[in-house]
C-alpha cells in the first residue's frame, strides 16, 4: 500500500483501529481496508467520495464495541465487482494503480508463513510484449498489429522488473529476455515467476490466458463471496 497506492487516506483508519483494538483482528481489518481503498481508486470514485468512505470507517471504529463489529460490517468495505472487473480488463499500463495491482498479484502468490513481499521503489512496470518491437523481430511474426494494439497494455502482458534491467532489455525478443533476465532474477516478483516459469515463447494466447488468471485472482481477493 505504501509503495503502490498514490495517497495515504488509508493511514488514519489504520491508526485509529490500532489505537482502539491493538492487534485484535488487525490483519483482517488491514486486508479489508486495503481492498476498499484500492478498489475505490481503481473504479474511479471521486476523491471526495473516497474520503467520505474513510471517514465512515473512522466513525464505525469510534462507535464499535469490539473489533469484530467493524470487521464484520460488509457495508463499510463494499466493492463494486462489475466496475472493478471492467477496469482490470481494460488498458492497465500507465494508470496510477498499475504497479499496485502487480504488487498485489505478487502478494497473493506468497506463503506468508515462510516469506514476506520484498517491495522496492526500484522496481518498474515492464511490458513482456514490447510497446514498439523492431520491424524484423519475432514479435512482429507472432503478433499481428491488431493483436499488439489490443494486448500490449493489458494486465496479462505486464510484470514488475528491476529498473536497470527494464531499460536494457525492453525491446528484445522474448527468448533473449528470458535468457538474460527472467531466469536469473525471478525473485524480484513472485507474480512474474508464476507467469514466466518455464516459458520459451510469449504468444497472444499466453497474454489472454495470463489476463484471465490475473483478473480471476484479483476478483477472488476483492469479492470472495
Amino acid at each position: 500500500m505504501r509503495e503502490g497506492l498514490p495517497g495515504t487516506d488509508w493511514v488514519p483508519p489504520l491508526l485509529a483501529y490500532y489505537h482502539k483494538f491493538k492487534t485484535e483482528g488487525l490483519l483482517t481489518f488491514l486486508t479489508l481496508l486495503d481492498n476498499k481503498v484500492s478498489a475505490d481508486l481503481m473504479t474511479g470514485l471521486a476523491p471526495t467520495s473516497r474520503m467520505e468512505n474513510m471517514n465512515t470507517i473512522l466513525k464505525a471504529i469510534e462507535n464499535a464495541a469490539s473489533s469484530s463489529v467493524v470487521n464484520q460490517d460488509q457495508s463499510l468495505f463494499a466493492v463494486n465487482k462489475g466496475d472493478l472487473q471492467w477496469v482490470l480488463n481494460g488498458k492497465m499500463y500507465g494508470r496510477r494503480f498499475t504497479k499496485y495491482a502487480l504488487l498485489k498479484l505478487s502478494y497473493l502468490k506468497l506463503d506468508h508463513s515462510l516469506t514476506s513481499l520484498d517491495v522496492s521503489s526500484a522496481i518498474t512496470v515492464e511490458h513482456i510484449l514490447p510497446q514498439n518491437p523492431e520491424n524484423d523481430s519475432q514479435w512482429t511474426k507472432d503478433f499481428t498489429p491488431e493483436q499488439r494494439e489490443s494486448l500490449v497494455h493489458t494486465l496479462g502482458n505486464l510484470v514488475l522488473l528491476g529498473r536497470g534491467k527494464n531499460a536494457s532489455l525492453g525491446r528484445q525478443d522474448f527468448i533473449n529476455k528470458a535468457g538474460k533476465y527472467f531466469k536469473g532474477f525471478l525473485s524480484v516478483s513472485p507474480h512474474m515467476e508464476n507467469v514466466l516459469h518455464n516459458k520459451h515463447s510469449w504468444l497472444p494466447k499466453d497474454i489472454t490466458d495470463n489476463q484471465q488468471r490475473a483478473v480471476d485472482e484479483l476478483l477472488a481477493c476483492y469479492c470472495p463471496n
Side-chain angles (χ1 to χ4, degrees):
M1 293 170 76
R2 286 198 312 266
E3 183 60 37
L5 293 177
T8 56
D9 295 348
W10 52 273
V11 173
L14 178 59
L15 293 177
Y17 183 98
Y18 180 76
H19 178 72
K20 185 167 186 177
F21 302 118
K22 303 306 178 188
T23 59
E24 182 181 309
L26 180 60
L27 181 57
T28 297
F29 174 76
L30 184 54
T31 300
L32 292 167
L33 181 65
D34 176 21
N35 283 349
K36 179 60 176 173
V37 173
S38 57
D40 282 357
L41 175 70
M42 287 192 279
T43 55
L45 231 60
T48 52
S49 297
R50 299 203 304 267
M51 185 62 70
E52 287 172 4
N53 287 339
M54 293 301 100
N55 288 335
T56 299
I57 294 173
L58 280 167
K59 291 175 183 176
I61 294 169
E62 181 181 348
N63 296 329
S66 68
S67 61
S68 60
V69 171
V70 177
N71 290 338
Q72 293 174 12
D73 188 345
Q74 296 184 10
S75 66
L76 294 175
F77 307 101
V79 170
N80 189 314
K81 183 177 181 179
D83 287 353
L84 182 60
Q85 186 172 17
W86 183 83
V87 171
L88 293 174
N89 276 316
K91 176 184 174 182
M92 283 289 286
Y93 183 72
R95 308 295 296 270
R96 299 169 68 199
F97 44 78
T98 307
K99 187 176 181 180
Y100 168 84
L102 292 168
L103 285 170
K104 191 153 192 166
L105 284 167
S106 286
Y107 178 83
L108 294 173
K109 289 287 184 292
L110 292 178
D111 180 348
H112 299 283
S113 65
L114 299 175
T115 187
S116 60
L117 182 62
D118 181 17
V119 180
S120 168
S121 60
I123 56 177
T124 59
V125 177
E126 161 83 351
H127 294 83
I128 303 175
L129 162 68
Q131 299 181 75
N132 299 297
E134 301 287 354
N135 291 334
D136 59 349
S137 69
Q138 188 65 39
W139 297 116
T140 60
K141 299 173 184 176
D142 293 336
F143 291 81
T144 67
E146 293 77 16
Q147 288 172 327
R148 295 205 308 270
E149 182 178 357
S150 65
L151 296 174
V152 67
H153 295 311
T154 61
L155 190 60
N157 188 52
L158 303 175
V159 290
L160 295 177
L161 298 179
R163 183 169 291 147
K165 296 293 182 179
N166 181 308
S168 64
L169 296 175
R171 298 180 68 189
Q172 294 190 21
D173 283 333
F174 181 81
I175 193 67
N176 294 327
K177 284 188 175 187
K180 295 180 181 178
Y181 188 91
F182 297 134
K183 291 181 180 178
F185 294 87
L186 287 174
S187 60
V188 170
S189 167
H191 169 61
M192 182 179 71
E193 181 175 12
N194 181 71
V195 169
L196 298 174
H197 183 63
N198 287 335
K199 283 285 185 184
H200 303 291
S201 63
W202 191 249
L203 303 173
K205 189 177 186 303
D206 294 306
I207 298 180
T208 55
D209 287 349
N210 184 44
Q211 172 73 20
Q212 188 63 58
R213 280 194 302 269
V215 171
D216 287 348
E217 288 170 9
L218 288 172
L219 291 178
C221 174
Y222 280 98
C223 307
N225 300 322

